[in-house]
Amino acid sequence: MGRESLEMTFLAGGRSLLPSTWEGKEKILTLINVYCPHADPGKPERLAFKMRFYSLLKIRAEALLAAGSHVIILGDLNTAHRPIDHWDAVNLECFEEDPGRKWMDSLLSSLGCQTGSHVGPFIDSYRCFQPKQEGAFTCWSAVSGARHLNYGSRLDYVLGDRTLVIDTFQDSFLLPEVMGSDHCPVGAVLSVSSVPAKECPPLCTRFLPEFAGTQLKIRRFLVRLKDPVFRHSALKLNNKTQVQMHQNKARVRSTRPRPSQAGSSRGQKNLTSYFQPSSSHPQASPNLELPSVGALVTPKTSEKEVMAKVVEGQASASEAKDEKEIRTSFWKSVLGGPLSMPLCRGHREPCVRRTVKKPGPNLGRHFYICARPQGPPTDPSSRCNFFLWSRPS
């Protein structure tokens, strides 16, 4: 293909990719950044909705190609195309017969970047550069911790029209080391440079009815003070605020309790006024009758009496300790505390408790499974198939 200038446009909801240029003739590049619906096996209507979405996406992409634009489709397509793109494909019934995979067969070229006959107008750019790379996944179950053992599938793609991929794509890659979601980013490198578009495309988000007239620029919120209308409004607001402040102060003064006349002074109290003398050292009161001196004098206590008091104190302490132990054992028998986790049979390790969230007769029930992350059945470090219902509380 000769050197030409590419001008990019993008659909509503799509992220912008830097427009690309070559010297010479201009050509539009349309980027469709999309999230395709997920099909729930328990809800047949979701599969029908997903296939309608797929059909419209293909119609739109092929119409753009027919109009002379290059097209890139990227995002979460929610389908693993080939068995190499799914870790457990061999155990999935009728893997190749899935409607979503058949749709991708009709959309993609089956021969990668090689010349020759092909089925669809688009190319899976990652498989173009890495046709036999195994374990190349972009999505893992966050609940089962499957990412630790790379037990996932490839649901995220960068698809380009055949001419664009062959002539301009230099690389396509996955970034599984980037955390933050149950998916990882994907990307591609094109040998082009950017040129700005002359105007926003007709399908830009700002032109959609639900967004038209609502998106404002930041300068709309900044008004110059020299504007007479703004100065008048600001002056009225300032006067109203000052009046309100004076009213609030007057209300506070009227509700504030007055200090007592005896022994008090206006102003802030000292910090020491908030501290009271200790109860163990009571202050002398004028009305307190002091005992006589003779009552305070005690005769000398004999050694036998002292030893008797010591023995009596030790017996009291022992009785109190025994009573405390009895109370503790009683409450332990009543409140048994949390049950210990059962051990899985595969690793003899404590399990984790999960709750059934799927609608049905077991909704809300608790069960125990192996605590290790989900992985290939052949990997001994992955989760074993232990399962145990929790007893009713």
Side-chain angles (χ1 to χ4, degrees), residues 330-353:
F330 168 76
W331 284 113
K332 283 184 177 181
S333 64
V334 175
L335 306 175
L339 297 176
S340 59
M341 286 290 178
L343 304 181
C344 66
R345 295 190 183 93
H347 309 98
R348 305 303 300 170
E349 295 175 352
C351 296
V352 291
R353 194 173 79 158

Side-chain angles (χ1 to χ4, degrees), residues 95-106:
F95 182 87
E96 300 287 351
E97 300 301 319
D98 180 78
R101 295 184 180 93
K102 288 187 174 182
W103 174 81
M104 293 192 72
D105 288 339
S106 66

Side-chain angles (χ1 to χ4, degrees), residues 74 108 151 208 242 290 297 316 338 365 393:
L74 64 88
L108 298 178
Y151 188 74
L208 298 182
Q242 290 182 1
L290 299 177
V297 178
S316 300
R365 287 190 65 183
S393 57

